[in-house]
Amino acid sequence: MEKTFEVIVVGGGFAGVAAVKALGRSGVKVLLIDQHNYHQFQPLLYQVATAQIGVSDVTRTFRGMFQRYRSATVLTAKVEAVDVNAHTVTTADGDTFHAQILVLAAGAEANYFNTPGAEEHAYPLYSVTDAVRLGNATVQALDAAQREGAESRGVHVVVVGGGPTGVETAGAIAENFRYVVPKYYSDGVAAKSSVHLVDMVPSILGPFSDKNKSYATRRLQQAGVRLKMGSGVTEVRPDGVDFADGTSLPSQIVVWAGGLKAGAVVAQSGLEQGRGGRIDVNPDLTAPGTTGVYVLGDAANMTDARGEKLPQLGSCAQQAGKWAARNIHADLRGGTREPFAYRDKGYMAMIGRGAAVAEIGRKRLQVQGPLAFLAWLGVHVVLLSGNRQRVSALISWADDYLTHSRSHVVLGNPD
């Protein structure tokens, strides 16, 4: 493989893929490096973990995505180091690649905030591997409860983090326990099982309006989720979780949705890190203190053209990737970079069957219930990476909604 390119993109998330596509259309010689050979649709990983959709619905190979762009090359490798001054990337195999422009879009990893036991015993939910591990662990816990008999203690799950990921995950697991588990296991297992959603802040869904927070809280409780808010987790043990107020909860499974931080590639880049270990990028998405380096997606703290902080959302990362490609094209062809003009589409979160909350657009039009549920489905169908993935996900959702069946139950070793 050639080792010199016009652009190297590190990371194939929403931002990286959008950048490579836009650059490929323009004929820019671009190399994408990712440790996987596929793109993964992170907003739906909790549905993989709860067997609502299959792994193939949220993944698509990079080579399949970029096959029409002759100037785009894909390398499956783990990045060991980046030199932002020399514009080089070195892989774990010892190969070094050079480019005129370097794009860091390497995503993020779970931020455990130094909580004792969290990294060892909790399940993050940021990759397909994470989702499969969580799904396997849940199935094994249910099998173990079944072996103990109908009067067993059931399966107890604690979800840490009251943001959209935590809310969606807790709601999906609770609905599994209520509607799906009784079809496959004894009634006693389902009746004894529980889901707790916990966070140190006083309410769920922090960026949302009070009206949407109240709706989401009510629907979660109706689904069987028990909320414990206002007390932080001080330790995660193999058999439970301890809190700052001195209380504890027993659990076989702890899902960590309590926050993200930039990954190791960004941490060792030498760039100055801000909130969450991310890089506070310039308005045009370039990294401060250097030239020819862009930082995108979950690796960056981005602002729009008006200086407002932007959310860590897939749609935001996707827009940033496209915008960065425009600026990179300007860099390579002698044009002028422009500050990122983010199109604010709002926020949304799925609560359960026919229930969601959404705040649409910059004016935050508030929607709850079935209409928000349909809006959530529409947005996520559009964001999925291919037509086959869209059709398959829609079929899975329809089957799940009508029958409560789970044809995508994951099997295997959770380790």
Side-chain angles (χ1 to χ4, degrees), residues 10 112 127 166 184 394:
V10 178
Y112 297 105
S127 70
Y184 296 93
L394 284 170

Side-chain angles (χ1 to χ4, degrees), residues 19 112 209 379 397:
Y112 297 105
S209 67
V379 167
W397 284 331

Side-chain angles (χ1 to χ4, degrees), residues 56 78 136 195 209 211 414:
S56 60
K78 182 177 180 180
N136 285 334
V195 181
S209 67
K211 181 179 179 181

Side-chain angles (χ1 to χ4, degrees), residues 150 152-156 177 181-182 186-194 226:
S152 70
R153 57 194 175 95
V155 174
H156 303 287
F177 285 166
V181 170
S186 65
D187 292 339
V189 171
K192 295 285 186 177
S193 297
S194 68
R226 305 173 191 178

